[in-house]
Amino acid sequence: MLLIYCPYCEEERPELEFRHAGEAHIARPENIAGISDEAFERYFFIRSNPKGIAYERWRHIHGCARFFNAARDTVSDRFLATYRTGEPKPRLEGEGQ
Amino acid sequence: MRKYSVFAIAREALRGHTGWPEQWASPEPKKEYDVIIVGAGGHGLATAYYLAKEHGITNVAVLEKGWLGGGNTGRNTTIIRSNYLYDESAGIYDHAVKLWEGLSQELNYNVMFSQRGVMMLAHNVHDVQVFKRHIHANRLNGVDNVWLSPQEAKEYCPPLNISPQARYPVMGAALQRRGGTARHDAVAWGYARAASARGVHIIQNCAVTAIRRGPDGAVTGVETTRGPIRARKIGVVAAGHSSVLMQMAGVSVPLESFPLQALVSEPVKPVFPCVVMSNTVHAYISQSDKGELVIGAGTDQYTSYAQAGSLHIVQHTLDAICEMFPIFTRMKMLRSWGGTVDVTPDRSPILAKTPVKGLYVNCGWGTGGFKATPGSGHVFAHTIARDEPHPINAPFTLERFRTGRLIDEAAAAAVAH
Amino acid sequence: MAGAFRLPAAGRLDAGRTLRFTFDGVSHTGLAGDTLASALLANGVHLVGRSFKYHRPRGILAAGAEEPNALVGIHRDAARRTPNVRATVQELYDGLNAVSQNRWPSLSFDVGALNDLAAPFFSAGFYYKTFMWPRAAWERLYEPVIRRAAGLGVAPDQPDPDNYSNRFAHCDVLVVGAGPAGLAAALAAAEAGARVILADEQPQPGGSLRFESGAVIDGKPGWEWAQETVARLAAKDNVRILTRTTGFGYYAHNMVALAERLTDHLAAPDAQAPRERLWQVRAGRVVLATGAIERHMVFPGNDRPGIMLAAAGRTYLNHYGVAVGRRVAVYTACDSAYAAALDLKKQGIAVPVLVDARQAPQGGLVEQAREAGIEVLAGHAVTGTRGRLRLSAIEVVPVAGGPQRRVEADALLTSAGWTPAVHLFSQSRGKLAYDAGTGRFLPGTHAQNAVCVGACNGTTDLGMVVEEALHAGAEAAGQTGAQARGATARPEARSPEGWSAGIAGPAPGAEAGKGGKAFVDFQNDVTAKDIAQAVREGMRSIEHVKRFTTTGMATDQGKTSNLHALAIAARMLDKPVPEVGLTTFRPPYTPVTFGALVGHGRGALFEPTRRTPIHAWAEAHGAVFEDVGQWKRAWYFPKDGEDMHAAVARECRTVRQAAGIFDASTLGKIEVVGPDAARFMELMYTNPWARLEVGRCRYGIMLREDGFIYDDGVVGRLAEDRFHVTTTTGGAPRVLHHMEDYLQTEFPHLKVWLTSTTEQWAVIAVQGPRARDIVAPLVEGVDLSDAAMPHMSVRTCRVCGVPARLFRISFTGERGFEINVPADHGLAVWEAVWAQGERHGAVAYGTETMHVLRAEKGFIIVGQDTDGTVTPDDAGLAWAIGKKKTDFVGIRGLRRTDLVAPGRRQLIGLKTLDPSIVLEEGAQIVADPNQKVPMKMLGFVTSAYWSENCGHSIALALVEDGRARMGERLYVPMPDGTIEVEVTSTVFFDEKGERVHG
C-alpha cells in the first residue's frame, strides 16, 4: 500500500484514502466537438504508459476529495513529487524524454 | 527433436537421465532474420512455432530480455475458457480452446491441459442477467456454457458456500465444462522446444533497445543488448512492456500497465475439483496438480512495472475466497507474486498490423491472456506471414479506438445498477 | 522425566512442568516450552513425515521456521484442523494432537514409498514427457492419480470457528528479528527515544543465543543478556515487543507485514480470542536483523531420519535439554558444527566421528574438538547412510579416495555453512550483492529506508554484530527525529564461533557415491542429479531450473536448499553464481494463514451492508430482499404463501388499480449548487438545463466522453442556483466522482459545489391513481392540483411536519409522487404514508414490481437495458440531447464513425406470439432460427416480464436496426425450442401516456 502526500492536506496518508485517476496533463480539447477522430482518439484512449517517471492524477477521495497530480517512478513506485491541479510539471532529476 | 514418451523415459532411466538433449537450442543471434518476435512468452513462442509450422518461415528469432516464459506466462493462474460474450471474442478464445485440446500431442509436450470446468458465480440479479446473456450468445456461437442452480453449483464444487445467509449469496453459476487449466511453464517450454526444433532461434537475455526504420518508414531491424539484428518484419508480443516497445517505433498505443497479483496456498490433498471465478466479489481459484490452491487477485489501481503489488489487494481477494469457501480460512498462503498486465480501454486485445510497415503488435490481453496462447500465436503468425490478419483476429485492430468499433467485454459485464 | 532422551543437566525447560500430547495416536510426555519437534525427539521419535514425491521417511531437519520435512497436521477439534504445520515451530500444549501426513496406511509403512523404487522413472519434469497417450487418459486416469499422490496435508472440511484480527501500526523504528543484533538495535533506538516495534518469530527473543553456548555479552551468558535486555525494553513505554510474530512481507513505502500467532500454543484458548493477528506496520526506518539459516550437506542418503542441521541439534541440546541421539556423528564444511560436537561431548553424548569436508580445518574450535577427544576426519566425505526409518550408520571415505569406513551413529549433524536470511531485504526491492569470497549473497543497495544488521548482513563475529546493531539502532532513531535521551552503553560481546565459511552444492567427494540420492530440496524430493539434468536439458536460468525441478518451491520455499541448487547449476554451466541468478524472494517469508490476512472481513463484515431507513419495516412486512451493490433492497412482499410471481402480479395490479408505495431511498442524490450550476449541468448532461424553470424536473442523461450512456435520473431545479440530481442506485459514487473530476480539473472556473445527499434523504414513492389522495393529507402548504403541480415538478414543503422535497414524478406511468424527507424521519413518514395508503387499498411494492411497471412503459434501466455500449439514440432517447448545445461530455464521442453508422442495435419492444411465454433476460435474437452455428445474432433481450396489467408477457431488447423492424417476426432460439416474437414499440401500457395526469 502506497503512502501518498496530499498537496492540499499537506500530509502523507495511506493509499486506501486515494483513488488513482489516470494520466495527468491531458487537457480536454477546447473545441472538443470539432476535433478530428484522430485527435479524439489521442485525447481519450492513447496513454503514454511510461516505464519510468509517470505523471498521473490522484484524488484524495476519502480525505479532502481534491484531485491532484503526482510524478511517480513506475519501476520503483516511488513518488518524486505531488502537486496541485493546474500547477505545471515539476522539474525532476533523472527524467527521461 | 527427440520424441518424448514413456519409452524414452524408461530408456533414460537406465542411464540416469544423462542422455536427454537440450529442450531448445541457445544460439548466438545472427545478423539478420526474416522475422523477429520480441518477447519469448507463450504468445511470442507460439507465434514463432506457427510461423515455422504453418507458413514455412523458419528464419525467425524470438528475442527475450530475461528468460523465456518468465513474464506473465509464468505468473498467471492458468485459467482457460472461451465463454466470452461477443462473437469476435468467442471466436478467438474458442479457436484457442480447440488448439489447447490437442496441444500436448501437437507439441509432444504434456502441457497438462485439464478441462476441469470453469464455473462463474452469479451473486445478484444483475449477474444472472449478464451470465445468461453470455450463455445464450455462447450457445448460438457453438461455445459450451450452461446455467447451474446454486445446488448444482455446490455439487460441481463441494467446498462452495451456497448459504442464503452469505453476504453475497450464490444465485447460480455459468459453467463451461471445456474450460480448465494448463501447466503454464510447460506451455512456454513446449512451444520453445517445438519452435527450436523447426529452426527458430530463441535468444534469451537479449533486450531490444531500439526499433530501426528505413527511409520509407518500414522497419529494418532492432538494436539489442547483444548487438543489432536486421529483419523486415517485427512482431511485438511484449505484454506489459508493449507500450515501451511500440514507442521505440514511434507508435502510441491505447494501453496501460497495471500490477496484477496471484498467490498459492500450501499444497493439500485434492479438495477443489474445478475453477471458480466470481467477478462480483473478485476471486479466482483452482487447485493445481501439485495440490496448491491457485488464487488470482485483482489489479492495483495505479500503473506500474514493478511486478509487485500491495498486500491489501491480496487481503481483499482472500476475504472473498474465505467468504465463498469458509473451510479455507486455516489454509496458508505459501507464495504471492505480481506481474505487469497491459490493459486496453475495451479489455480486448490488439492483434494487428500497425501504421508502420513490417511492424505487427500482439498486446492488450490484460488479466487473461494465457488462455488465448495457442489461438493468439496461430492467428498472429498468419498476420505476420501474410501481412494481413486472419479472419479471427481481423476485428482486433488498433483502429477500432478511432472508429469506436470496440469489443467491449468490460462494458458487457456492466456494473450493477 | 519427559522422554528418554531428555538430559537432566541440559536445557532451560522446567522438568516439573510436564505436558501430555499424542502423535499418530501414541501418547507422549513433553515439557512446557517444548516445540512438538523437541518433545518428539525427547521421546526418541525421529520419523515424523513422508516426502512429497517418493514418500521417503523423513525426520526433523531443523529447529525453526526453515524446516522442510517435519510437517504434521494439528487437530484441535473437528473444525480446527491445520495441515502442514512445522513441528519445529508448533509449541507444545497439554493435549496437543498431531498426525503425520502424506502416508497410507501408516507413517512407518507407507505404500506410497513404492514411488521410491520407481524413482529412476520419476526424474525431474518426467510428467512433461509422458501421460500424453491416449489423449483422453490425461484427465481420466493420469491426472487424478497424480493429484491423489500429490499434496501433503488434508485441508479442513469445516468452516473455521476461530477469529482473526488485524491492526495497523506506525513506528519510528521497526526491528525484525530479536537475536543479539535485533535486541541491540532495538535497545539503542529505544534508548534514543524512538518509538520502536521489535518483532520475533520465537516465543522468546534471543535468536541464535538459544544454542550459542559460548556467547558472552556484557559479561553474561548470551541468553541471560538477551532476557535481561528484553525486560529492559519491555519496561519502556516507547517499545512494543511482539513475540511469536513473523515479519513476512516487505511492501512499498516501508510497509512491513507481521503475522502474530496468539493462541496456537495454548491448551485452552478463549474461543473469542483472535487466533492470529496481522500487523501492517508503517515504519520510519526498518532494521532487518533476520539472521542466517544453516544449510545441510548434500551427500547420498542425506535425508534419513536422524540427520539434522548442526545448530538444530545444538538447539535441542542447549535449549530444550534433548539429546538427538546416543551416538551423534557430525559432518561439516564449516566451523560452527564443531561447537555442536563439543556441546554434545560435554553432556556426555558419544560423538564417534567429526567428518570435515575441508582438507585442513584450523582454528580454536577445531583444536578444542581434537583436545576433547573427538576423532576429526578432515578431508573426508560421507558417501552413504544406513538405516530404514532411522539412521544407524554412515559411510565415510577420504575425499581424495581410499577405503570406506562405516561408523555406527543414530544421529548425524551436518552443516554446510550459513545463508544470510536476506528475504525481507530482497522483498524490499533491495539489490543483493554476491560475495565471492564467502560464497554468500549479501544486502547491497537498499531501495527503501532500511538497514541490515548481524548475520543477515553477513556480519558473523558477535562483537561486531552487537556493535553494528547498536550503531544502526541509534542512527535509525536519530534519522526519524527521535530526541536522544542519552547514548546506550556499549556492552562487550564475544563468541568463539565463526559462521562465514562453508560450501554450496554437493559435498566434495560425496557427489559420485552410490549410497543413494543426495537431496538438495528435501520436501519436494529434488536431488543434485535432478538439478544437473535440468541444466543438461537447457534450463540455464535458475528460474527455469527451479520451475523444472520444483526445487525451492515447497512449503519451506528453499530456505536450506536454494543456494545449493544455484551452486550446482552454476558449476554445470561453468558460470559464476550471480550470472545464473538468484530466484526472487517473494512474500511471505513463511506461510501465512488466510484467516490472518482476512482478519474481520468475514460474513457480515465481508462488505458493508447498506440498509435504508425503511428496511426494518420491510423486513417486518415479510419483504424478500435483493442485493444491489452494497444495498439490500426490498424485492417483493409475498403474502400468505405467495410465490414471487404471484406477489409481483398482485403488486403490479394494485399499483395501477389503486396505488403502491415504494422505498426509493437508495436512489443516488447529488446536490448541485452555485451561480454556475446550470452551466455545469449543461456540460455534464446531454439535455438543456438553462431554461428549466424553478420547480420543474427533467429526465437527464449523462454520457462518458466516449458517447455511451453512463447514468440517468430525474433532476429537479429547486432554485436558479440549485439542482437536486438523482442517479441510479449503483451509480451514485461514480457519478459524483465523474462530476468532481470535470469540475475540479476541466471546468474549475465554474462556481459550483457538489454534495452527495444519497443518505440524507429517505425517498418514498407513491404511485397510482390514488397517489394524490394518499399524499394530500400529509403535505402542508402545497397545492397538489394538476394545474398547480403538474407532472415533472418539485416543491419544497413539509410532509408530516418534516421538511421535505416533494416530486411529482413517475417511474410507473401512473400519477406519482416521490417524497424526500430527512433520513432520520424516513421510517415515521413511511408509516404515516402507509397508514393513508391502506385506506386507499395501496400495496407496498418492491424492486421487481418497479421493474415490471417501468418496462410496461418502456422506461430503461441503465445497466440492464444499456451496457456501456449504448448511445442515447440506440436507447431511443435522442430527444434528450440538446440539439443546439455546442458542448457536453460525450458530444464528440457520439459522432465517431461507428456510433453513427447504420446497423446499430436499438432498443425495441418484443411480444411473444404465445403471450404466456416470458422470455429470458439475456436470450439472443435471430432472424433465421434454422441457420447453422455460429448463428448471426441480431440482438438480445434486456428485460422481460410477465405483465399482469397487459395480460401478456413483455420484453425490451436491443436489436440491430430495431426501429426499422416494427411488426417484424424474429426468433429467440432456446435450448428447448425456438420462441417466436414480434417487434413492437417499447411502450406496452397506456401508450398515450395519459395516466400520469389521470
Side-chain angles (χ1 to χ4, degrees):
Chain A
M1 192 191 304
L2 306 181
L3 194 59
I4 303 171
Y5 183 83
C6 172
Y8 293 98
C9 299
E10 301 185 338
E11 261 195 299
E12 274 189 328
R13 307 295 299 169
E15 184 194 331
L16 293 182
E17 294 185 8
F18 297 85
R19 181 183 295 180
H20 189 259
E23 186 167 350
H25 303 292
I26 299 176
R28 186 171 186 265
E30 285 282 332
N31 59 336
I32 190 162
I35 63 173
S36 66
D37 278 357
E38 200 176 352
F40 181 77
E41 180 195 21
R42 214 164 35 240
Y43 159 65
F44 194 68
F45 290 116
I46 301 295
R47 294 293 176 263
S48 59
N49 195 28
K51 184 177 185 179
I53 294 168
Y55 293 90
E56 62 191 7
R57 306 190 312 140
W58 288 85
R59 184 180 179 210
H60 195 182
I61 190 163
H62 302 300
C64 65
R66 305 294 295 268
F67 284 81
F68 60 89
N69 294 329
R72 183 174 52 89
D73 182 339
T74 60
V75 179
S76 67
D77 288 335
R78 202 164 64 87
F79 282 99
L80 293 103
T82 55
Y83 52 103
R84 299 181 177 200
T85 298
E87 291 177 8
K89 285 184 188 181
R91 286 184 164 275
L92 301 166
E93 265 180 56
E95 192 181 347
Q97 291 83 36
Chain B
M1 187 169 90
R2 189 147 127 233
K3 196 168 185 306
Y4 287 160
S5 69
V6 66
F7 307 108
I9 294 177
R11 209 159 45 236
E12 278 299 325
L14 297 176
R15 50 174 168 171
H17 296 277
T18 53
W20 292 115
E22 284 197 329
Q23 298 201 4
W24 52 83
S26 298
E28 285 300 309
K30 295 196 295 187
K31 294 255 178 293
E32 181 164 10
Y33 293 91
D34 293 341
V35 178
I36 287 174
I37 302 294
V38 183
H43 289 245
L45 292 164
T47 304
Y49 170 73
Y50 291 113
L51 273 173
K53 187 196 170 218
E54 306 265 314
H55 305 281
I57 303 173
T58 58
N59 186 25
V60 176
V62 186
L63 308 183
E64 169 56 49
K65 98 182 133 116
W67 37 282
L68 70 87
N72 294 340
T73 300
R75 291 164 191 266
N76 78 95
T77 53
T78 79
I79 296 173
I80 294 165
R81 62 182 180 90
S82 61
N83 51 354
Y84 282 73
L85 178 63
Y86 289 107
D87 302 350
E88 298 88 338
S89 314
I92 195 162
Y93 289 108
D94 211 53
H95 181 54
V97 167
K98 285 176 186 139
L99 291 171
W100 277 115
E101 284 171 339
L103 195 61
S104 292
Q105 290 70 30
E106 162 93 23
L107 299 177
N108 179 231
Y109 207 102
N110 189 351
V111 300
M112 303 184 188
F113 179 48
S114 175
Q115 292 179 299
R116 326 173 57 67
V118 173
M119 193 165 81
M120 304 171 79
L121 301 177
H123 295 279
N124 53 45
V125 173
H126 182 255
D127 282 354
V128 174
Q129 291 163 345
V130 170
F131 287 2
K132 290 210 169 161
R133 183 179 170 197
H134 280 69
I135 284 171
H136 291 302
N138 290 153
R139 182 166 44 80
L140 301 191
N141 265 324
V143 175
D144 75 301
N145 196 12
V146 295
W147 179 253
L148 302 185
S149 69
Q151 289 70 27
E152 289 167 329
K154 172 96 180 158
E155 277 162 34
Y156 200 76
C157 182
L160 181 64
N161 176 19
I162 56 165
S163 161
Q165 271 69 54
R167 175 64 185 85
Y168 288 113
V170 173
M171 295 185 74
L175 171 66
Q176 185 178 26
R177 288 200 167 82
R178 285 162 67 233
T181 56
R183 170 84 193 131
H184 51 15
D185 291 329
V187 176
W189 299 343
Y191 272 119
R193 173 168 167 267
S196 182
R198 288 178 183 268
V200 170
H201 280 190
I202 298 162
I203 300 162
Q204 303 181 75
N205 298 308
C206 180
V208 170
T209 53
I211 293 176
R212 293 282 172 234
R213 294 171 64 179
D216 62 347
V219 298
T220 58
V222 296
E223 300 288 330
T224 78
T225 49
R226 294 173 68 173
I229 307 174
R230 292 191 300 274
R232 291 294 180 82
K233 289 185 172 181
I234 298 172
V236 172
V237 198
H241 283 78
S242 299
S243 293
V244 177
L245 278 149
M246 294 303 284
Q247 206 61 57
M248 290 177 190
V251 179
S252 295
V253 283
L255 288 178
E256 290 190 297
S257 295
F258 292 95
L260 178 69
Q261 295 181 85
L263 64 107
V264 293
S265 74
E266 293 184 337
V268 286
K269 293 292 177 193
V271 63
F272 203 84
C274 58
V275 182
V276 172
M277 309 174 61
S278 168
N279 294 334
T280 297
V281 299
H282 300 295
Y284 315 92
I285 177 170
S286 64
Q287 187 175 18
S288 72
D289 283 342
K290 213 183 152 203
E292 298 159 333
L293 298 177
V294 182
I295 295 169
T299 54
D300 275 275
Q301 56 173 334
Y302 50 85
T303 60
S304 176
Y305 289 82
Q307 291 196 324
S310 299
L311 182 60
H312 70 268
I313 303 289
V314 165
Q315 286 182 281
H316 184 62
T317 294
L318 288 175
D319 288 356
I321 293 291
C322 293
E323 176 68 9
M324 288 190 296
F325 308 103
I327 64 169
F328 288 151
T329 317
R330 292 179 97 83
M331 295 286 291
K332 282 170 257 167
M333 173 169 87
L334 172 60
R335 190 167 58 242
S336 67
W337 63 91
T340 305
V341 297
D342 45 324
V343 178
T344 60
D346 63 357
R347 302 298 186 273
S348 286
I350 300 165
L351 283 107
K353 296 171 69 171
T354 70
V356 175
K357 187 168 163 43
L359 183 69
Y360 308 84
V361 67
N362 180 349
C363 65
W365 291 96
T367 59
F370 178 74
K371 64 176 72 72
T373 305
S376 156
H378 189 252
V379 297
F380 195 51
H382 178 108
T383 307
I384 294 173
R386 307 275 182 87
D387 195 35
E388 64 180 27
H390 188 283
I392 287 177
N393 68 306
F396 296 92
T397 61
L398 260 174
E399 288 74 32
R400 70 182 190 266
F401 301 98
R402 189 165 306 166
T403 64
R405 192 167 196 81
L406 305 185
I407 305 159
D408 206 334
E409 291 287 338
V415 287
H417 47 273
Chain C
M1 184 65 59
F5 286 80
R6 191 83 64 175
L7 302 171
R12 304 187 179 104
L13 308 190
D14 180 350
R17 294 179 61 202
T18 57
L19 304 172
R20 289 161 300 113
F21 71 102
T22 61
F23 178 56
D24 277 346
V26 180
S27 289
H28 300 282
T29 305
L31 295 178
D34 261 328
T35 60
L36 175 60
S38 68
L40 286 168
L41 292 170
N43 288 280
V45 178
H46 278 253
L47 174 65
V48 179
R50 289 275 174 173
S51 65
F52 193 86
K53 188 155 109 180
Y54 301 136
H55 289 249
R56 286 170 69 98
R58 290 287 166 77
I60 294 161
L61 182 80
E66 68 273 33
E67 176 62 40
N69 287 333
L71 304 185
V72 299
I74 301 290
H75 294 183
R76 207 184 259 281
D77 56 40
R80 292 180 173 87
R81 296 184 166 194
T82 315
N84 303 339
V85 176
R86 286 152 293 164
T88 53
V89 169
Q90 175 64 50
E91 292 175 59
L92 201 67
Y93 57 81
D94 199 45
L96 182 143
N97 177 25
V99 294
S100 60
Q101 305 188 143
N102 201 33
R103 80 289 183 267
W104 185 85
S106 75
L107 186 57
S108 55
F109 179 77
D110 177 13
V111 169
L114 286 171
N115 284 359
D116 201 19
L117 299 176
F121 188 89
F122 299 143
S123 64
F126 74 99
Y127 29 75
Y128 298 129
K129 296 173 180 148
T130 182
F131 304 136
M132 288 178 276
W133 187 89
R135 196 166 114 177
W138 168 249
E139 279 173 32
R140 295 207 194 122
L141 175 64
Y142 304 128
E143 191 185 36
V145 169
I146 289 173
R147 280 179 177 261
R148 271 199 295 279
L152 285 168
V154 176
D157 59 4
Q158 291 186 29
D160 185 358
D162 280 332
N163 298 308
Y164 299 85
S165 171
N166 211 317
R167 281 190 69 170
F168 289 91
H170 298 260
C171 63
D172 297 322
V173 182
L174 169 68
V175 182
V176 183
L183 286 168
L187 188 65
E191 295 202 333
R195 290 175 305 144
V196 175
I197 293 178
L198 171 64
D200 191 87
E201 61 186 359
Q202 294 286 346
Q204 276 177 291
S208 61
L209 301 171
R210 278 202 307 169
F211 62 80
E212 240 185 296
S213 47
V216 175
I217 304 176
D218 208 9
K220 297 162 202 153
W223 180 257
E224 211 174 287
W225 172 83
Q227 303 319 308
E228 284 181 23
T229 305
V230 172
R232 268 171 79 186
L233 287 167
K236 292 178 181 293
D237 57 10
N238 57 332
V239 178
R240 181 192 291 277
I241 301 174
L242 297 170
T243 55
R244 300 186 175 92
T245 302
T246 305
F248 69 83
Y250 201 135
Y251 296 90
H253 302 177
N254 256 11
M255 165 82 87
V256 179
L258 316 171
E260 183 183 17
R261 294 169 294 281
L262 296 159
T263 62
D264 273 2
H265 63 292
L266 300 176
D270 178 350
Q272 298 306 310
R275 178 176 171 233
E276 298 185 19
R277 179 182 290 127
L278 173 73
W279 291 82
Q280 293 177 78
V281 180
R282 187 80 72 172
R285 190 162 167 85
V286 177
V287 178
L288 295 173
T290 47
I293 295 167
E294 198 170 22
R295 296 186 300 279
H296 58 280
M297 295 289 278
V298 178
F299 61 96
N302 64 343
D303 67 328
R304 236 173 268 285
I307 302 177
M308 63 173 65
L309 296 171
R314 228 178 142 198
T315 305
Y316 291 120
L317 182 72
N318 293 339
H319 189 78
Y320 298 101
V322 173
V324 298
R326 304 280 187 220
R327 283 174 61 80
V328 183
V330 179
Y331 182 25
T332 186
C334 67
D335 283 358
S336 59
Y338 282 79
L342 285 163
D343 285 350
L344 287 163
K345 192 85 181 169
K346 269 182 218 144
Q347 289 294 335
I349 294 158
V351 180
V353 67
L354 191 160
V355 183
D356 195 325
R358 298 171 296 181
Q359 288 299 328
Q362 288 172 342
L365 281 167
V366 181
E367 293 315 311
Q368 281 182 47
R370 291 203 167 104
E371 281 162 23
I374 296 170
E375 183 184 3
V376 176
L377 291 175
H380 278 64
V382 177
T383 53
T385 62
R386 289 280 174 268
R388 194 171 82 85
L389 300 176
R390 170 81 189 269
L391 183 74
S392 62
I394 60 172
E395 285 151 5
V396 184
V397 179
V399 170
Q404 187 189 81
R405 183 176 143 193
R406 176 179 287 211
V407 180
E408 305 294 317
D410 60 356
L412 175 68
L413 302 186
T414 83
S415 177
W418 294 82
T419 311
V422 293
H423 304 70
L424 289 182
F425 169 78
S426 177
Q427 283 183 31
S428 80
R429 305 185 203 172
K431 285 210 167 51
L432 292 166
Y434 185 69
D435 178 15
T438 57
R440 298 179 302 181
F441 282 97
L442 296 174
T445 319
H446 283 270
Q448 302 206 39
N449 194 355
V451 60
C452 295
V453 295
C456 75
N457 195 36
T459 311
T460 55
D461 174 80
L462 186 62
M464 285 168 67
V465 164
V466 172
E467 181 73 27
E468 167 180 277
L470 288 169
H471 176 76
E475 187 210 40
Q479 200 194 86
T480 56
Q483 296 299 314
R485 293 186 201 155
T488 308
R490 306 224 157 223
E492 191 192 335
R494 63 192 150 77
S495 169
E497 299 169 32
W499 290 26
S500 63
I503 56 171
E511 299 100 324
K514 289 180 184 165
K517 301 182 182 72
F519 286 94
V520 172
D521 181 317
F522 289 108
Q523 193 184 121
N524 274 354
D525 280 328
V526 181
T527 65
K529 274 185 193 168
D530 290 323
I531 309 274
Q533 183 202 332
V535 173
R536 269 195 303 273
E537 290 199 45
M539 306 295 170
R540 296 182 177 205
S541 153
I542 192 64
E543 288 286 352
H544 282 156
V545 171
K546 172 180 143 186
R547 286 155 179 266
F548 189 68
T549 63
T550 73
T551 191
M553 298 184 81
T555 63
D556 60 303
Q557 292 286 286
K559 291 187 177 59
T560 56
S561 62
N562 280 342
L563 203 64
H564 283 315
L566 182 56
I568 296 168
R571 215 164 297 166
M572 289 281 298
L573 289 165
D574 197 21
K575 278 186 183 172
V577 164
E579 273 185 38
V580 182
L582 188 62
T583 62
T584 318
F585 293 97
R586 306 181 189 289
Y589 172 67
T590 52
V592 176
T593 307
F594 284 3
L597 294 165
V598 169
H600 301 292
R602 298 166 68 189
L605 297 180
F606 168 61
E607 275 228 331
T609 302
R610 301 176 77 187
R611 294 183 180 86
T612 74
I614 296 143
H615 186 91
W617 187 95
E619 213 167 22
H621 286 75
V624 175
F625 292 89
E626 68 161 330
D627 286 297
V628 181
Q630 292 174 329
W631 289 103
K632 295 279 180 194
R633 298 197 73 181
W635 196 3
Y636 56 98
F637 289 84
K639 270 186 173 174
D640 311 325
E642 280 177 332
D643 63 6
M644 181 172 175
H645 179 82
V648 172
R650 173 180 49 76
E651 290 172 17
C652 286
R653 210 168 42 229
T654 313
V655 173
R656 296 219 188 277
Q657 285 171 3
I661 305 175
F662 174 70
D663 178 5
S665 302
T666 65
L667 213 61
K669 293 167 281 284
I670 297 167
E671 195 95 338
V672 177
V673 184
D676 294 323
R679 283 179 66 199
F680 181 68
M681 291 296 293
E682 291 273 344
L683 286 162
M684 299 312 298
Y685 284 82
T686 60
N687 317 62
W689 299 96
R691 295 201 188 147
L692 182 67
E693 287 169 33
V694 171
R696 297 307 304 261
C697 302
R698 181 163 287 165
Y699 169 74
I701 295 178
M702 172 178 271
L703 308 181
R704 288 202 322 167
E705 205 70 85
D706 60 8
F708 296 122
I709 296 177
Y710 189 56
D711 204 78
D712 70 348
V714 170
V715 177
R717 190 167 199 172
L718 299 168
E720 278 299 317
D721 62 352
R722 182 175 294 264
F723 291 84
H724 178 115
V725 174
T726 67
T727 75
T728 56
T729 290
R734 62 183 157 81
V735 168
L736 181 62
H737 181 70
H738 176 82
M739 286 183 169
E740 281 285 358
D741 192 348
Y742 278 95
L743 180 59
Q744 290 186 33
T745 67
E746 297 294 351
F747 314 130
H749 54 281
L750 297 182
K751 286 194 167 57
V752 178
W753 291 266
L754 305 173
T755 309
S756 165
T757 54
T758 302
E759 295 82 359
Q760 268 57 52
W761 297 109
V763 183
I764 301 159
V766 184
Q767 303 275 313
R770 313 294 294 272
R772 182 161 53 192
D773 303 332
I774 294 168
V775 170
L778 308 173
V779 176
E780 300 163 34
V782 180
D783 179 353
L784 296 181
S785 68
D786 286 338
M789 190 174 178
H791 180 56
M792 296 302 271
S793 52
V794 57
R795 298 287 178 271
T796 302
C797 61
R798 285 184 173 269
V799 175
C800 301
V802 172
R805 288 179 182 171
L806 181 66
F807 287 79
R808 168 100 191 261
I809 50 177
S810 173
F811 200 40
T812 57
E814 299 297 323
R815 172 188 296 278
F817 293 90
E818 287 190 5
I819 306 167
N820 286 244
V821 291
D824 286 350
H825 300 287
L827 183 57
V829 173
W830 172 277
E831 284 174 341
V833 173
W834 176 245
Q836 288 296 327
E838 278 196 303
R839 275 184 221 165
H840 297 278
V843 285
Y845 67 96
T847 50
E848 187 66 14
T849 290
M850 178 267 282
H851 280 143
V852 177
L853 297 175
R854 65 88 202 176
E856 287 173 348
K857 291 297 299 173
F859 298 145
I860 66 162
I861 301 257
V862 169
Q864 177 172 346
D865 302 295
T866 71
D867 65 1
T869 67
V870 175
T871 67
D873 184 59
D874 297 342
L877 300 170
W879 56 265
I881 298 174
K883 299 292 175 293
K884 292 180 190 157
K885 289 173 72 167
T886 55
D887 198 3
F888 58 85
V889 172
I891 191 167
R892 180 61 186 84
L894 270 181
R895 296 178 187 169
R896 288 181 296 158
T897 327
D898 195 58
L899 276 70
V900 294
R904 290 191 63 84
R905 290 182 171 185
Q906 297 169 329
L907 193 75
I908 45 93
L910 292 179
K911 275 185 195 164
T912 49
L913 264 61
D914 175 346
S916 69
I917 297 175
V918 180
L919 293 169
E920 196 164 285
E921 286 162 354
Q924 298 289 323
I925 299 157
V926 301
D928 170 13
N930 299 316
Q931 61 186 311
K932 285 208 177 102
V933 166
M935 290 194 186
K936 161 69 185 165
M937 289 170 256
L938 295 176
F940 70 103
V941 177
T942 61
S943 296
Y945 309 94
W946 169 254
S947 168
E948 187 73 4
N949 292 306
C950 298
H952 59 78
S953 75
I954 58 169
L956 299 175
L958 283 164
V959 171
E960 228 173 83
D961 287 324
R963 289 198 291 271
R965 294 179 189 268
M966 287 300 144
E968 206 172 295
R969 186 76 51 90
L970 295 174
Y971 301 88
V972 178
M974 298 298 285
D976 50 1
T978 296
I979 303 166
E980 285 181 71
V981 295
E982 184 193 317
V983 178
T984 69
S985 139
T986 54
V987 184
F988 297 94
F989 188 82
D990 180 28
E991 282 174 40
K992 291 185 180 154
E994 291 163 339
R995 296 176 67 95
V996 283
H997 310 293

